[in-house]
Amino acid sequence: MIFKEKLVHGKLIKRYKRFLADVELDDGTVIVAHCTNSGTMKSCLENGAEVFLTPVNDPKRKTKFTWEMIKINNDWVGINTGIPNILAFEAILKNEIPGLGVYTTVQREVKFGDSRFDVYAENADEKCFVEVKNVTLKEGKYALFPDAVTTRGRKHLKTLMQVKKEGMRAVMLYIVQRSDVEVFAPAKTIDPDYAAALKLAVENGVEVVVMKAKIKPEAIRLTNPLPVEI
């Protein structure tokens, strides 16, 4: 995914009220940026760290910037939770995710039951629903999800099991927006119920795919799959 506009550089002053962040731009101006990430952002939140923002030209929006990434341990971490959906859609469309096959139809935001999945894909042989999650939490070599309790995440896993029960392919796709990790696992100490739900989903045929992304101010690209420990 290539950014359409040149990103704006600055330093994080603080994040607050979950969806807001004060940022000092390079010219000394202090602005308020929108933070799409509603989680704790543990392990990717550091006051004074470099950040990049997307300028937004929308008269309806109070904030004129969207926070895209932050530099942690000399590498960029993507914190915009909307990016993984774009990455997943583009990669599935181009057959760039190992194991996800070649699909003739790929759509975003498709309903199944009372849920709406991020990606739906099909070919002559199968129909596939894919739920996408953004991963930024790091502990040692592990990329962990979630970084806060998520009842919505458990609901998606339950619905994916129903998808599988009805004879279709069900995939839980985690996009890790940082490069300094080697293995993916559920964050059992943060949300043990989600970890248990993920284990149950896998036992019932839901597939787990984890892709790591390389974050740069010019573009974000998927690089390689990560092994999974559940």
Side-chain angles (χ1 to χ4, degrees):
M1 189 213 81
I2 299 172
F3 288 105
K4 295 178 181 178
E5 296 186 61
K6 185 177 180 180
L7 301 191
V8 178
H9 183 262
K11 284 193 307 184
L12 178 66
I13 298 174
K14 63 177 179 178
R15 178 221 188 188
Y16 55 101
K17 295 182 180 178
R18 289 201 302 171
F19 299 108
L20 299 174
D22 287 343
V23 174
E24 181 182 345
L25 304 183
D26 290 349
D27 65 1
T29 305
V30 175
I31 59 90
V32 180
H34 174 59
C35 175
T36 63
N37 196 320
S38 62
T40 64
M41 292 180 62
K42 181 182 177 183
S43 81
C44 61
L45 197 61
E46 185 178 301
N47 293 346
E50 292 182 66
V51 297
F52 270 108
L53 319 168
T54 297
V56 179
N57 185 21
D58 183 351
K60 296 179 181 179
R61 264 196 42 178
K62 294 181 179 179
T63 52
K64 301 305 178 184
F65 295 89
T66 298
W67 185 8
E68 298 289 350
M69 61 189 72
I70 184 168
K71 185 170 267 189
I72 301 291
N73 297 328
N74 294 316
D75 205 358
W76 293 106
V77 177
I79 58 92
N80 186 337
T81 55
I83 295 297
N85 289 1
I86 298 171
L87 291 170
F89 175 75
E90 290 181 352
I92 294 170
L93 195 62
K94 298 175 182 177
N95 187 29
E96 293 177 343
I97 298 181
L100 272 186
V102 178
Y103 292 103
T104 52
T105 299
V106 183
Q107 298 173 281
R108 294 185 64 184
E109 300 291 332
V110 176
K111 285 194 70 176
F112 177 88
D114 61 351
S115 291
R116 187 180 297 273
F117 286 112
D118 296 311
V119 180
Y120 169 77
E122 68 174 32
N123 56 31
D125 300 316
E126 66 183 22
K127 297 178 179 179
C128 178
F129 284 90
V130 182
E131 178 61 19
V132 183
K133 298 296 183 188
N134 182 56
V135 182
T136 58
L137 178 59
K138 167 186 163 67
E139 287 187 11
K141 68 178 182 179
Y142 287 91
L144 302 176
F145 182 89
D147 70 354
V149 174
T150 172
T151 54
R152 186 166 176 264
R154 294 202 302 274
K155 178 190 174 187
H156 282 138
L157 291 173
K158 183 178 179 182
T159 310
L160 281 172
M161 284 191 282
Q162 186 61 37
V163 167
K164 183 63 180 178
K165 188 176 180 181
E166 295 191 16
M168 293 174 283
R169 192 176 183 188
V171 177
M172 185 67 248
L173 174 60
Y174 298 95
I175 304 294
V176 181
Q177 284 206 80
R178 59 189 307 156
S179 300
D180 55 351
V181 287
E182 301 172 19
V183 184
F184 171 84
K188 297 178 181 179
T189 58
I190 292 175
D191 193 344
D193 291 336
Y194 182 85
L198 181 60
K199 186 174 186 294
L200 180 63
V202 171
E203 290 170 351
N204 282 273
V206 175
E207 300 170 55
V208 173
V209 178
V210 183
M211 292 295 296
K212 189 159 66 171
K214 180 62 179 177
I215 315 300
K216 292 184 178 181
E218 300 78 25
I220 299 177
R221 291 186 171 87
L222 298 182
T223 55
N224 59 282
L226 286 181
V228 178
E229 291 185 10
I230 296 176

